[in-house]
Amino acid sequence: YALKTLIFIYSKLNISIIKILPFVISDLLIKLECNDLEGWGHLPDDIKPTPSSNPQKTVNLTEHSESIRVLYLFLLQSLFLNENITPEDFSPFINDTVNILRCLTMDPCNDIIKVSCETIKIFATKFKEKLYYFNSILGRSLFLALISKQSKIK
């Protein structure tokens, strides 16, 4: 709803939705603290741990409200489904978007995991050309969400 309001306001002011895209993505990164999920982004590639030791669940949630986290996912879905935003417009923010999706896929709440999987599906449909670079990262987070013993998404 908030994004639709922003789009409406910007369309009345003749300002493109693409101009607010950097602010939306950076705000989500800050609110979810998902810049460096593994905690070893600052390390050189030769001493980074193997992918099998990546996190499986988000332990320290910065946003404690589940409904707000679901709204973040609906905001991303609205951005992905917006016809005015092309995959080229999203290219500078693709790494950050993947980190946001991974963070929300590792959420302890099953409802958020379900909406996150739906959002990744929309993301993969719209950005299929870019998916080659992120398929192992997104696939691993989806795999962990689907095989978890506590997960009711099966």
Side-chain angles (χ1 to χ4, degrees), residues 7-67:
I7 292 171
F8 177 75
I9 291 170
Y10 275 84
S11 65
K12 292 297 180 188
L13 296 174
N14 289 331
I15 299 173
S16 173
I17 187 69
I18 298 165
K19 292 187 179 184
I20 67 164
L21 193 59
F23 303 109
V24 171
I25 299 298
S26 66
D27 197 37
L28 285 175
L29 278 173
I30 291 167
K31 294 218 181 273
L32 295 170
E33 289 185 3
C34 54
N35 273 337
D36 185 19
L37 289 175
E38 292 88 5
W40 39 263
H42 62 286
L43 297 174
D45 289 337
D46 56 338
I47 62 170
K48 286 184 180 178
T50 60
S52 62
S53 62
N54 282 340
Q56 298 181 8
K57 291 280 182 196
T58 306
V59 178
N60 298 327
L61 295 173
T62 55
E63 180 58 63
H64 297 288
S65 172
E66 294 174 5
S67 59

Side-chain angles (χ1 to χ4, degrees), residues 89-154:
D89 297 329
F90 233 100
S91 288
F93 317 107
I94 204 93
N95 287 329
D96 297 334
T97 305
V98 168
N99 282 339
I100 293 167
L101 291 171
R102 286 178 58 209
C103 179
L104 291 169
T105 305
M106 294 185 294
D107 198 279
C109 177
N110 286 323
D111 294 333
I112 295 172
I113 294 173
K114 181 180 177 199
V115 176
S116 176
C117 290
E118 293 168 1
T119 308
I120 289 177
K121 176 186 161 196
I122 295 169
F123 174 81
T125 304
K126 179 140 186 183
F127 302 103
K128 52 186 145 219
E129 296 84 21
K130 311 265 184 210
L131 195 61
Y132 174 76
Y133 303 104
F134 302 103
N135 61 3
S136 65
I137 296 170
L138 285 174
R140 193 168 31 252
S141 64
L142 281 171
F143 181 71
L144 291 171
L146 294 174
I147 65 163
S148 173
K149 290 181 181 177
Q150 293 91 1
S151 176
K152 294 180 173 69
I153 306 167
K154 294 186 182 171

